[in-house]
């Protein structure tokens, strides 16, 4: 069975600090996809990144970066120089290739950036 | 391009009633998925429809059902509402060009917040 664990329920930092959101996953499949979504107070889930299981290359997009390590089944998300607008709930998710449109989400991490 | 729209945005029902929620996907998207979000259980997959057929299903009782129309619009229905059905119901659409294709990115709507009294 698939499972995604986000051990950090809530994180609070001061603006401009760097913050890392942890994600650990479990799956028996060799082919799968990993995602991060952001959910602002409005409720809509905003897609941030997708990684497939064969691509362990880390990615950087502006202040956001992702570290994918198959050896530890982790897909961590770092925000550098955080801003108040980054405050939201962040979800890590997993999808098997064959049931591809079904996402299994972690419990989410509520991130609060204080001015 | 218009995003995924869901109607209504807010809904209040009483126990025992039934409810129908609607989702209009992004134009050209053929796959529609539904998710339930509650504080206790988090985000859980309900089902996915592709070309009017249910393709995937989560672990929810039969009171939860859905359908998809020929224009890809989808509805989900919950019968005999229970207090625990109070949740944010999110709909997501994706292109899914080929029925057995690998993952296509899902775009989420704003959700329908259902309150059961």
């Amino acid at each position: 069975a698939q499972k995604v664990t986000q051990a950090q329920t809530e994180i609070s930092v001061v603006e401009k600090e760097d913050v890392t959101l942890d994600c650990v996953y479990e799956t028996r499949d060799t082919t799968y996809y990993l995602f991060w979504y952001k959910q602002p107070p409005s409720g809509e889930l905003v897609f941030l990144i997708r990684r497939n299981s064969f691509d362990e290359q880390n990615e950087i997009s502006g202040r956001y970066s992702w570290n994918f390590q198959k050896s530890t089944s982790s897909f961590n998300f770092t925000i550098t120089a955080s801003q108040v607008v980054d405050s939201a709930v962040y979800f890590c998710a997993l999808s098997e290739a064959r049931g591809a449109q079904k996402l299994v989400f972690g419990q989410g991490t509520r991130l609060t950036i204080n001015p | 391009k218009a995003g995924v729209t869901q109607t209504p945005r807010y809904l209040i029902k009483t126990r025992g009633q039934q409810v129908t929620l609607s989702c209009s996907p992004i134009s050209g998207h053929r796959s529609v998925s539904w998710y339930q979000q509650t504080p206790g259980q988090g985000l859980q997959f309900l089902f996915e429809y592709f070309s009017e057929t249910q393709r995937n299903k989560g672990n929810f009782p039969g009171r939860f059902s859905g359908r998809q129309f020929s224009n890809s619009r989808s509805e989900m229905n919950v019968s005999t509402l229970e207090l625990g059905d109070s949740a944010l119901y999110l709909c997501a659409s994706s292109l899914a060009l080929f029925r057995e294709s690998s993952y296509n990115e899902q775009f989420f709507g704003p959700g329908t917040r259902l309150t059961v009294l």
Side-chain angles (χ1 to χ4, degrees), chain B residues 1-5 24-30 32 72 93-94 107-108:
Chain B
K1 203 180 214 183
V4 178
T5 58
S24 292
I26 292 172
S27 177
H29 284 194
R30 297 164 63 187
V32 173
S72 293
S93 76
S94 65
F107 296 84
F108 283 82

Side-chain angles (χ1 to χ4, degrees), chain A residues 33 35 39 47 100-101 103, chain B residues 35 37 48 94 102-103 106:
Chain A
Y33 296 87
F35 309 83
Q39 187 176 43
F47 169 82
Q101 303 307 116
L103 292 171
Chain B
Y35 293 83
Q37 185 176 20
E48 181 216 356
S94 65
S102 58
Y103 186 83
Q106 294 188 45

Side-chain angles (χ1 to χ4, degrees), chain B residues 13-25:
Chain B
K13 292 286 188 178
T14 56
R15 276 181 299 176
Q17 287 187 310
Q18 77 164 16
V19 67
T20 299
L21 311 182
S22 181
C23 172
S24 292

Side-chain angles (χ1 to χ4, degrees), chain B residues 64-101:
Chain B
F64 291 83
S65 63
R67 59 178 177 168
Q68 187 180 34
F69 302 95
S70 58
N71 62 356
S72 293
R73 189 177 70 86
S74 176
E75 289 181 345
M76 68 161 282
N77 185 76
V78 188
S79 62
T80 320
L81 283 166
E82 300 177 359
L83 295 179
D85 297 333
S86 294
L88 179 67
Y89 290 88
L90 292 163
C91 164
S93 76
S94 65
L95 201 55
L97 284 172
F98 303 104
R99 191 170 171 81
E100 301 299 329
S101 70

Side-chain angles (χ1 to χ4, degrees), chain B residues 27-61:
Chain B
S27 177
H29 284 194
R30 297 164 63 187
S31 169
V32 173
S33 298
W34 289 89
Y35 293 83
Q36 181 197 64
Q37 185 176 20
T38 60
Q41 299 299 315
L43 274 158
Q44 294 184 287
F45 173 80
L46 279 156
F47 29 65
E48 181 216 356
Y49 285 86
F50 178 86
S51 292
E52 302 178 64
T53 301
Q54 187 179 87
R55 182 159 71 168
N56 284 300
K57 188 176 186 304
N59 293 326
F60 279 82

Side-chain angles (χ1 to χ4, degrees), chain A residues 41-105:
Chain A
S42 60
E44 189 169 336
L45 283 170
V46 177
F47 169 82
L48 295 177
I49 190 171
R50 177 188 70 190
R51 265 282 173 269
N52 72 49
S53 53
F54 297 109
D55 183 3
E56 286 194 70
Q57 189 172 9
N58 292 328
E59 181 157 338
I60 298 175
S61 176
R63 296 183 297 106
Y64 296 171
S65 63
W66 292 269
N67 184 308
F68 175 30
Q69 293 194 354
K70 284 180 77 170
S71 61
T72 56
S73 297
S74 65
F75 186 43
N76 297 335
F77 173 32
T78 296
I79 301 175
T80 303
S82 60
Q83 300 177 1
V84 173
V85 293
D86 295 327
S87 297
V89 180
Y90 290 85
F91 291 94
C92 181
L94 169 69
S95 175
E96 294 174 338
R98 65 175 178 276
Q101 303 307 116
K102 174 184 175 181
L103 292 171
V104 174
F105 285 90

